[in-house]
Amino acid sequence: MVPQKQAEEAIVASQTDADHDPNGRGEDEDEPSHGFNMKSILWHGGSVWDAWFSCASNQVAQVLLTLPYSFSQLGMLSGILLQVFYGFMGSWTAYLISVLYVEYRARKEKENVSFKNHVIQWFEVLDGLLGPYWKALGLAFNCTFLLFGSVIQLIACASNIYYINDRLDKRTWTYIFGACCATTVFIPSFHNYRLWSFLGLGMTTYTAWYLAIAAFIHGQDKDVTHSGPSKLVLYFTGATNILYTFGGHAVTVEIMHAMWKPQKFKYIYLMATLYVFTLTLPSASAMYWAFGDKLLTHSNAFALLPKNGFRDAAVILMLIHQFITFGFACTPLYFVWEKVIGMHDTKSICLRALARLPVVVPIWFLAIIFPFFGPINSAVGALLVSFTVYIIPALAHMLTYRTASARQNAAEKPPFFLPSWTGMYVLNAFVVGWVLIVGFGFGGWASVTNFVKQVDTFGLFAKCYQCAKPPPAPLAAAAAPPLQHH
């Protein structure tokens, strides 16, 4: 336990001795110990609770509205079991990422490397532990995932607001919310999401329980059917959406680095996941129980609930939360771009914001090209999340500690519930094999097939994906009933 203790002391010492960063970026920032300071309370968050709120708030956002859709593809039993399974698997790989961060940080501290005004990111951890090829791999997958994660938030904003105001089509709403979300360039780092994370989790909690209660009040539809799972392509599409749900830890390193004592992160993601279960399981189960197969053509759960004040409140809260989640997904991309153009050490918030704007433009453009709310979640889950937050962390951990000397001098020893290095290797190998075959293989086939179907049906740059169609002419009404809308 001596190497672990030395590593923790080194990290704490480096943070305690660092100067206060006036921009609130939080890297190596002192933990406030006394006095009342409103700016620190609202702006400078680096405690264990801040990290927990960030993880829980970031983990479940718009995907809360697509999980009932996934249940209709999977069936009730598979939907529940896969949520629990992927929830614990995601918590395990988040733990691995935190271990590798502490290992990297401890090694650099021994070399007297300072991280003053520098945010450590996942690709830098991979570079320091495994070399430049792993850096390139981590950078490519992580940035692409975060890019499309931000795209999904814009699509979700347009999809949700349409249920309050349908006078504008969804593409126009995407233009509007793209401009609104661009203001996240002014938020320096994850340290400054303290208030937003707290509010964001409250918003998703309200929405989740609104979905569950509204579904029970509505009761089961007349002649409701629950035929899922009915097709393999639908089954694996739904499964990869759940894989995506619990793969929200692409920003784990940045959240850890914003903590005053990052070595305390170990089990925070697991605690966040347990809370998220209380939101996702009741809401998705209740919606599927009430509406059954009707969800197959309604990938946004709001589409099936009656318009009233409670639903409008849920829509508005989710819109605000999606703005927060957009910032969570974009902030690591901002950091990468700042480092590329040499602006990461700039202390001026306005200059950094201006430098970050080119990151928002391609996100805005992609959201207009591919406005497919549910299918894009599954495609991102299968093709990007599977590697970014499951396969790469497990492989990186196995390779980092492949030698006896690395295991002996490890900054973090195996956890108490799995004290054997052999056990960790077996579990990591299982994660890699399962996600590679089931998540990337079958899931990739199913989600891409479904995604291509949406493109063929609605076309690129769809003006209003799954919107209500104009009612047919009176003479043709009997022959052409109106389509259901999303």
Side-chain angles (χ1 to χ4, degrees), residues 422-473:
T422 303
M424 293 193 73
Y425 266 74
V426 170
L427 184 53
N428 286 340
F430 170 78
V431 170
V432 172
W434 177 277
V435 177
L436 191 62
I437 296 171
V438 178
F440 178 72
F442 289 108
W445 160 73
S447 58
V448 170
T449 300
N450 190 31
F451 188 81
V452 170
K453 180 182 177 182
Q454 303 303 313
V455 174
D456 290 341
T457 303
F458 295 94
L460 300 177
F461 298 97
K463 189 174 183 180
C464 210
Y465 172 66
Q466 287 190 338
C467 294
K469 305 297 183 183

Short mmCIF file of all heavy atoms in Angstrom, two decimals, residues 422-473:
data_model
loop_
_atom_site.label_atom_id
_atom_site.label_comp_id
_atom_site.label_asym_id
_atom_site.label_seq_id
_atom_site.Cartn_x
_atom_site.Cartn_y
_atom_site.Cartn_z
N THR A 422 -5.32 -11.26 -11.32
CA THR A 422 -5.85 -12.23 -12.28
C THR A 422 -7.33 -12.02 -12.49
O THR A 422 -7.84 -12.05 -13.63
CB THR A 422 -5.59 -13.67 -11.80
OG1 THR A 422 -4.19 -13.86 -11.60
CG2 THR A 422 -6.11 -14.69 -12.80
N GLY A 423 -8.06 -11.80 -11.39
CA GLY A 423 -9.49 -11.54 -11.49
C GLY A 423 -9.79 -10.30 -12.31
O GLY A 423 -10.74 -10.27 -13.12
N MET A 424 -8.96 -9.26 -12.14
CA MET A 424 -9.15 -8.03 -12.91
C MET A 424 -8.92 -8.29 -14.41
O MET A 424 -9.65 -7.78 -15.26
CB MET A 424 -8.22 -6.93 -12.42
CG MET A 424 -8.52 -6.44 -11.02
SD MET A 424 -7.67 -4.91 -10.62
CE MET A 424 -8.58 -3.72 -11.59
N TYR A 425 -7.89 -9.09 -14.71
CA TYR A 425 -7.62 -9.41 -16.11
C TYR A 425 -8.78 -10.18 -16.73
O TYR A 425 -9.17 -9.93 -17.88
CB TYR A 425 -6.32 -10.21 -16.22
CG TYR A 425 -5.11 -9.35 -16.49
CD1 TYR A 425 -4.56 -8.55 -15.49
CD2 TYR A 425 -4.54 -9.31 -17.76
CE1 TYR A 425 -3.47 -7.75 -15.72
CE2 TYR A 425 -3.43 -8.49 -18.00
CZ TYR A 425 -2.91 -7.72 -16.99
OH TYR A 425 -1.82 -6.91 -17.23
N VAL A 426 -9.31 -11.14 -16.00
CA VAL A 426 -10.43 -11.94 -16.51
C VAL A 426 -11.64 -11.04 -16.77
O VAL A 426 -12.30 -11.14 -17.82
CB VAL A 426 -10.78 -13.07 -15.52
CG1 VAL A 426 -12.09 -13.75 -15.93
CG2 VAL A 426 -9.65 -14.10 -15.46
N LEU A 427 -11.95 -10.16 -15.81
CA LEU A 427 -13.10 -9.27 -15.96
C LEU A 427 -12.90 -8.31 -17.13
O LEU A 427 -13.82 -8.07 -17.93
CB LEU A 427 -13.34 -8.50 -14.66
CG LEU A 427 -14.57 -7.58 -14.62
CD1 LEU A 427 -15.83 -8.32 -15.00
CD2 LEU A 427 -14.72 -6.95 -13.23
N ASN A 428 -11.69 -7.77 -17.25
CA ASN A 428 -11.41 -6.85 -18.36
C ASN A 428 -11.50 -7.56 -19.71
O ASN A 428 -12.01 -6.99 -20.69
CB ASN A 428 -10.02 -6.23 -18.20
CG ASN A 428 -9.98 -5.18 -17.10
OD1 ASN A 428 -11.00 -4.64 -16.70
ND2 ASN A 428 -8.80 -4.91 -16.59
N ALA A 429 -11.02 -8.79 -19.77
CA ALA A 429 -11.09 -9.55 -21.01
C ALA A 429 -12.55 -9.83 -21.38
O ALA A 429 -12.92 -9.78 -22.56
CB ALA A 429 -10.32 -10.86 -20.87
N PHE A 430 -13.38 -10.11 -20.37
CA PHE A 430 -14.81 -10.33 -20.63
C PHE A 430 -15.46 -9.07 -21.19
O PHE A 430 -16.24 -9.13 -22.15
CB PHE A 430 -15.52 -10.75 -19.35
CG PHE A 430 -17.02 -10.78 -19.47
CD1 PHE A 430 -17.66 -11.83 -20.11
CD2 PHE A 430 -17.79 -9.74 -18.96
CE1 PHE A 430 -19.05 -11.84 -20.24
CE2 PHE A 430 -19.16 -9.74 -19.09
CZ PHE A 430 -19.80 -10.80 -19.72
N VAL A 431 -15.14 -7.90 -20.60
CA VAL A 431 -15.70 -6.64 -21.08
C VAL A 431 -15.32 -6.40 -22.53
O VAL A 431 -16.17 -6.05 -23.37
CB VAL A 431 -15.20 -5.46 -20.20
CG1 VAL A 431 -15.59 -4.11 -20.83
CG2 VAL A 431 -15.79 -5.56 -18.80
N VAL A 432 -14.05 -6.61 -22.86
CA VAL A 432 -13.58 -6.40 -24.23
C VAL A 432 -14.30 -7.34 -25.19
O VAL A 432 -14.81 -6.92 -26.24
CB VAL A 432 -12.05 -6.60 -24.32
CG1 VAL A 432 -11.60 -6.58 -25.78
CG2 VAL A 432 -11.32 -5.52 -23.53
N GLY A 433 -14.36 -8.61 -24.84
CA GLY A 433 -14.99 -9.59 -25.72
C GLY A 433 -16.47 -9.34 -25.92
O GLY A 433 -16.98 -9.37 -27.06
N TRP A 434 -17.18 -9.07 -24.83
CA TRP A 434 -18.64 -8.86 -24.91
C TRP A 434 -18.98 -7.63 -25.75
O TRP A 434 -19.82 -7.69 -26.65
CB TRP A 434 -19.21 -8.71 -23.50
CG TRP A 434 -20.69 -8.43 -23.51
CD1 TRP A 434 -21.29 -7.22 -23.68
CD2 TRP A 434 -21.75 -9.39 -23.41
NE1 TRP A 434 -22.66 -7.35 -23.66
CE2 TRP A 434 -22.97 -8.67 -23.50
CE3 TRP A 434 -21.78 -10.77 -23.23
CZ2 TRP A 434 -24.20 -9.30 -23.42
CZ3 TRP A 434 -23.02 -11.40 -23.15
CH2 TRP A 434 -24.21 -10.67 -23.25
N VAL A 435 -18.33 -6.52 -25.43
CA VAL A 435 -18.66 -5.27 -26.13
C VAL A 435 -18.22 -5.34 -27.59
O VAL A 435 -18.92 -4.83 -28.48
CB VAL A 435 -18.02 -4.07 -25.42
CG1 VAL A 435 -18.29 -2.78 -26.18
CG2 VAL A 435 -18.56 -3.95 -23.99
N LEU A 436 -17.10 -6.00 -27.86
CA LEU A 436 -16.63 -6.11 -29.24
C LEU A 436 -17.59 -6.93 -30.09
O LEU A 436 -17.93 -6.55 -31.21
CB LEU A 436 -15.24 -6.74 -29.26
CG LEU A 436 -14.49 -6.70 -30.60
CD1 LEU A 436 -14.23 -5.26 -31.03
CD2 LEU A 436 -13.18 -7.48 -30.51
N ILE A 437 -18.08 -8.04 -29.53
CA ILE A 437 -18.95 -8.93 -30.31
C ILE A 437 -20.40 -8.45 -30.29
O ILE A 437 -21.03 -8.29 -31.33
CB ILE A 437 -18.86 -10.37 -29.76
CG1 ILE A 437 -17.44 -10.92 -29.95
CG2 ILE A 437 -19.88 -11.28 -30.45
CD1 ILE A 437 -17.18 -12.24 -29.25
N VAL A 438 -20.93 -8.23 -29.10
CA VAL A 438 -22.35 -7.88 -28.96
C VAL A 438 -22.61 -6.40 -29.24
O VAL A 438 -23.52 -6.04 -29.99
CB VAL A 438 -22.87 -8.27 -27.56
CG1 VAL A 438 -24.34 -7.87 -27.41
CG2 VAL A 438 -22.70 -9.76 -27.32
N GLY A 439 -21.79 -5.54 -28.61
CA GLY A 439 -22.02 -4.10 -28.77
C GLY A 439 -21.62 -3.57 -30.13
O GLY A 439 -22.44 -3.00 -30.86
N PHE A 440 -20.36 -3.78 -30.50
CA PHE A 440 -19.86 -3.26 -31.77
C PHE A 440 -20.31 -4.12 -32.96
O PHE A 440 -20.73 -3.60 -33.99
CB PHE A 440 -18.34 -3.18 -31.74
CG PHE A 440 -17.74 -2.71 -33.03
CD1 PHE A 440 -17.85 -1.39 -33.42
CD2 PHE A 440 -17.07 -3.60 -33.86
CE1 PHE A 440 -17.30 -0.95 -34.62
CE2 PHE A 440 -16.52 -3.17 -35.06
CZ PHE A 440 -16.63 -1.84 -35.44
N GLY A 441 -20.23 -5.45 -32.82
CA GLY A 441 -20.56 -6.35 -33.92
C GLY A 441 -22.05 -6.37 -34.25
O GLY A 441 -22.49 -5.76 -35.23
N PHE A 442 -22.84 -7.05 -33.39
CA PHE A 442 -24.28 -7.13 -33.64
C PHE A 442 -24.94 -5.76 -33.52
O PHE A 442 -25.82 -5.41 -34.32
CB PHE A 442 -24.93 -8.10 -32.65
CG PHE A 442 -24.58 -9.54 -32.90
CD1 PHE A 442 -23.71 -10.21 -32.06
CD2 PHE A 442 -25.10 -10.21 -34.00
CE1 PHE A 442 -23.38 -11.54 -32.29
CE2 PHE A 442 -24.78 -11.54 -34.24
CZ PHE A 442 -23.91 -12.20 -33.39
N GLY A 443 -24.52 -4.99 -32.52
CA GLY A 443 -25.11 -3.66 -32.35
C GLY A 443 -24.81 -2.74 -33.50
O GLY A 443 -25.66 -1.96 -33.94
N GLY A 444 -23.57 -2.80 -34.01
CA GLY A 444 -23.21 -1.96 -35.15
C GLY A 444 -24.01 -2.32 -36.39
O GLY A 444 -24.50 -1.43 -37.10
N TRP A 445 -24.16 -3.61 -36.63
CA TRP A 445 -24.96 -4.05 -37.78
C TRP A 445 -26.41 -3.55 -37.66
O TRP A 445 -26.97 -2.99 -38.61
CB TRP A 445 -24.94 -5.57 -37.86
CG TRP A 445 -26.08 -6.15 -38.64
CD1 TRP A 445 -26.24 -6.13 -40.00
CD2 TRP A 445 -27.25 -6.80 -38.11
NE1 TRP A 445 -27.44 -6.73 -40.35
CE2 TRP A 445 -28.07 -7.15 -39.21
CE3 TRP A 445 -27.67 -7.12 -36.82
CZ2 TRP A 445 -29.29 -7.80 -39.04
CZ3 TRP A 445 -28.88 -7.76 -36.64
CH2 TRP A 445 -29.67 -8.10 -37.75
N ALA A 446 -27.00 -3.74 -36.48
CA ALA A 446 -28.41 -3.37 -36.30
C ALA A 446 -28.62 -1.87 -36.37
O ALA A 446 -29.54 -1.38 -37.05
CB ALA A 446 -28.91 -3.92 -34.97
N SER A 447 -27.78 -1.12 -35.67
CA SER A 447 -27.99 0.34 -35.60
C SER A 447 -27.72 1.01 -36.94
O SER A 447 -28.43 1.94 -37.34
CB SER A 447 -27.10 0.95 -34.51
OG SER A 447 -25.74 0.67 -34.75
N VAL A 448 -26.69 0.54 -37.67
CA VAL A 448 -26.41 1.13 -38.98
C VAL A 448 -27.54 0.78 -39.96
O VAL A 448 -27.96 1.63 -40.76
CB VAL A 448 -25.05 0.64 -39.52
CG1 VAL A 448 -24.87 1.04 -40.98
CG2 VAL A 448 -23.92 1.22 -38.68
N THR A 449 -28.04 -0.45 -39.88
CA THR A 449 -29.18 -0.84 -40.73
C THR A 449 -30.38 0.05 -40.47
O THR A 449 -31.04 0.55 -41.41
CB THR A 449 -29.57 -2.32 -40.47
OG1 THR A 449 -28.45 -3.15 -40.77
CG2 THR A 449 -30.75 -2.73 -41.34
N ASN A 450 -30.68 0.28 -39.19
CA ASN A 450 -31.82 1.14 -38.83
C ASN A 450 -31.57 2.58 -39.24
O ASN A 450 -32.48 3.28 -39.72
CB ASN A 450 -32.05 1.05 -37.31
CG ASN A 450 -33.35 1.70 -36.88
OD1 ASN A 450 -34.33 1.71 -37.62
ND2 ASN A 450 -33.37 2.23 -35.68
N PHE A 451 -30.33 3.05 -39.08
CA PHE A 451 -29.99 4.43 -39.42
C PHE A 451 -30.14 4.66 -40.93
O PHE A 451 -30.70 5.68 -41.36
CB PHE A 451 -28.56 4.73 -38.98
CG PHE A 451 -28.17 6.18 -39.11
CD1 PHE A 451 -28.55 7.11 -38.14
CD2 PHE A 451 -27.43 6.61 -40.19
CE1 PHE A 451 -28.20 8.44 -38.26
CE2 PHE A 451 -27.07 7.95 -40.32
CZ PHE A 451 -27.45 8.85 -39.34
N VAL A 452 -29.64 3.71 -41.72
CA VAL A 452 -29.76 3.83 -43.18
C VAL A 452 -31.22 3.83 -43.60
O VAL A 452 -31.62 4.56 -44.52
CB VAL A 452 -28.99 2.68 -43.87
CG1 VAL A 452 -29.29 2.64 -45.36
CG2 VAL A 452 -27.49 2.84 -43.64
N LYS A 453 -32.03 3.05 -42.91
CA LYS A 453 -33.47 3.02 -43.20
C LYS A 453 -34.10 4.39 -42.98
O LYS A 453 -34.94 4.84 -43.76
CB LYS A 453 -34.15 1.98 -42.32
CG LYS A 453 -35.65 1.86 -42.56
CD LYS A 453 -36.27 0.84 -41.62
CE LYS A 453 -37.78 0.79 -41.80
NZ LYS A 453 -38.42 -0.17 -40.84
N GLN A 454 -33.68 5.06 -41.90
CA GLN A 454 -34.21 6.40 -41.62
C GLN A 454 -33.79 7.39 -42.72
O GLN A 454 -34.58 8.25 -43.14
CB GLN A 454 -33.72 6.91 -40.26
CG GLN A 454 -34.06 6.01 -39.09
CD GLN A 454 -35.54 5.77 -38.95
OE1 GLN A 454 -36.35 6.70 -39.02
NE2 GLN A 454 -35.92 4.51 -38.77
N VAL A 455 -32.53 7.29 -43.17
CA VAL A 455 -32.06 8.17 -44.23
C VAL A 455 -32.85 7.93 -45.51
O VAL A 455 -33.26 8.87 -46.21
CB VAL A 455 -30.55 7.97 -44.47
CG1 VAL A 455 -30.09 8.78 -45.69
CG2 VAL A 455 -29.75 8.37 -43.24
N ASP A 456 -33.08 6.65 -45.84
CA ASP A 456 -33.84 6.33 -47.05
C ASP A 456 -35.28 6.82 -46.96
O ASP A 456 -35.87 7.23 -47.96
CB ASP A 456 -33.84 4.81 -47.27
CG ASP A 456 -32.46 4.29 -47.68
OD1 ASP A 456 -31.64 5.12 -48.13
OD2 ASP A 456 -32.20 3.08 -47.53
N THR A 457 -35.85 6.77 -45.75
CA THR A 457 -37.25 7.16 -45.55
C THR A 457 -37.42 8.67 -45.53
O THR A 457 -38.31 9.22 -46.18
CB THR A 457 -37.80 6.56 -44.25
OG1 THR A 457 -37.63 5.14 -44.30
CG2 THR A 457 -39.27 6.90 -44.07
N PHE A 458 -36.57 9.35 -44.76
CA PHE A 458 -36.76 10.78 -44.53
C PHE A 458 -35.77 11.66 -45.30
O PHE A 458 -36.00 12.84 -45.48
CB PHE A 458 -36.65 11.09 -43.04
CG PHE A 458 -37.73 10.47 -42.20
CD1 PHE A 458 -37.53 9.24 -41.60
CD2 PHE A 458 -38.94 11.10 -42.04
CE1 PHE A 458 -38.53 8.66 -40.82
CE2 PHE A 458 -39.95 10.53 -41.28
CZ PHE A 458 -39.74 9.30 -40.67
N GLY A 459 -34.64 11.07 -45.71
CA GLY A 459 -33.63 11.84 -46.44
C GLY A 459 -32.76 12.67 -45.51
O GLY A 459 -33.12 12.94 -44.36
N LEU A 460 -31.58 13.07 -46.03
CA LEU A 460 -30.72 13.97 -45.27
C LEU A 460 -31.35 15.36 -45.23
O LEU A 460 -32.17 15.71 -46.07
CB LEU A 460 -29.34 14.03 -45.91
CG LEU A 460 -28.57 12.70 -46.01
CD1 LEU A 460 -27.26 12.91 -46.74
CD2 LEU A 460 -28.34 12.11 -44.63
N PHE A 461 -30.96 16.15 -44.24
CA PHE A 461 -31.49 17.51 -44.05
C PHE A 461 -33.03 17.49 -43.92
O PHE A 461 -33.71 18.40 -44.39
CB PHE A 461 -31.10 18.43 -45.22
CG PHE A 461 -29.63 18.64 -45.38
CD1 PHE A 461 -28.91 17.88 -46.28
CD2 PHE A 461 -28.97 19.59 -44.62
CE1 PHE A 461 -27.54 18.07 -46.45
CE2 PHE A 461 -27.60 19.78 -44.77
CZ PHE A 461 -26.89 19.03 -45.68
N ALA A 462 -33.56 16.44 -43.29
CA ALA A 462 -35.02 16.36 -43.12
C ALA A 462 -35.52 17.59 -42.37
O ALA A 462 -35.00 17.97 -41.33
CB ALA A 462 -35.39 15.09 -42.35
N LYS A 463 -36.53 18.22 -42.94
CA LYS A 463 -37.03 19.48 -42.35
C LYS A 463 -37.72 19.25 -41.03
O LYS A 463 -37.60 20.07 -40.10
CB LYS A 463 -37.99 20.16 -43.33
CG LYS A 463 -38.39 21.56 -42.91
CD LYS A 463 -39.23 22.23 -44.00
CE LYS A 463 -39.57 23.67 -43.62
NZ LYS A 463 -40.37 24.35 -44.65
N CYS A 464 -38.44 18.14 -40.91
CA CYS A 464 -39.17 17.89 -39.67
C CYS A 464 -39.33 16.38 -39.48
O CYS A 464 -40.36 15.80 -39.82
CB CYS A 464 -40.53 18.59 -39.70
SG CYS A 464 -41.13 19.07 -38.06
N TYR A 465 -38.29 15.75 -38.94
CA TYR A 465 -38.25 14.30 -38.78
C TYR A 465 -39.35 13.80 -37.85
O TYR A 465 -39.48 14.26 -36.72
CB TYR A 465 -36.88 13.90 -38.24
CG TYR A 465 -36.73 12.45 -37.84
CD1 TYR A 465 -36.79 11.44 -38.79
CD2 TYR A 465 -36.53 12.10 -36.51
CE1 TYR A 465 -36.65 10.11 -38.44
CE2 TYR A 465 -36.38 10.78 -36.14
CZ TYR A 465 -36.44 9.79 -37.11
OH TYR A 465 -36.30 8.47 -36.74
N GLN A 466 -40.16 12.87 -38.34
CA GLN A 466 -41.27 12.26 -37.60
C GLN A 466 -42.25 13.29 -37.05
O GLN A 466 -42.78 13.15 -35.95
CB GLN A 466 -40.74 11.38 -36.46
CG GLN A 466 -40.12 10.07 -36.94
CD GLN A 466 -39.81 9.12 -35.80
OE1 GLN A 466 -39.66 9.53 -34.65
NE2 GLN A 466 -39.71 7.85 -36.12
N CYS A 467 -42.48 14.34 -37.82
CA CYS A 467 -43.48 15.33 -37.42
C CYS A 467 -44.85 14.90 -37.90
O CYS A 467 -44.99 14.03 -38.76
CB CYS A 467 -43.14 16.70 -38.02
SG CYS A 467 -41.63 17.43 -37.37
N ALA A 468 -45.86 15.55 -37.36
CA ALA A 468 -47.24 15.25 -37.78
C ALA A 468 -47.44 15.69 -39.22
O ALA A 468 -46.97 16.75 -39.64
CB ALA A 468 -48.23 15.98 -36.88
N LYS A 469 -48.13 14.88 -39.98
CA LYS A 469 -48.44 15.22 -41.37
C LYS A 469 -49.75 16.00 -41.44
O LYS A 469 -50.62 15.86 -40.58
CB LYS A 469 -48.57 13.94 -42.21
CG LYS A 469 -47.35 13.04 -42.14
CD LYS A 469 -46.11 13.70 -42.70
CE LYS A 469 -44.92 12.75 -42.68
NZ LYS A 469 -43.69 13.37 -43.15
N PRO A 470 -49.93 16.83 -42.45
CA PRO A 470 -51.21 17.53 -42.61
C PRO A 470 -52.34 16.52 -42.76
O PRO A 470 -52.17 15.47 -43.37
CB PRO A 470 -51.02 18.34 -43.89
CG PRO A 470 -49.54 18.42 -44.09
CD PRO A 470 -48.97 17.18 -43.50
N PRO A 471 -53.51 16.81 -42.19
CA PRO A 471 -54.63 15.87 -42.32
C PRO A 471 -55.03 15.70 -43.77
O PRO A 471 -54.96 16.65 -44.56
CB PRO A 471 -55.76 16.54 -41.51
CG PRO A 471 -55.37 17.97 -41.42
CD PRO A 471 -53.89 18.02 -41.44
N PRO A 472 -55.43 14.50 -44.18
CA PRO A 472 -55.78 14.26 -45.58
C PRO A 472 -57.08 14.97 -45.95
O PRO A 472 -57.86 15.38 -45.10
CB PRO A 472 -55.95 12.74 -45.63
CG PRO A 472 -56.30 12.35 -44.23
CD PRO A 472 -55.57 13.31 -43.34
N ALA A 473 -57.31 15.11 -47.24
CA ALA A 473 -58.54 15.71 -47.73
C ALA A 473 -59.72 14.85 -47.31
O ALA A 473 -59.59 13.63 -47.18
CB ALA A 473 -58.48 15.82 -49.25
#
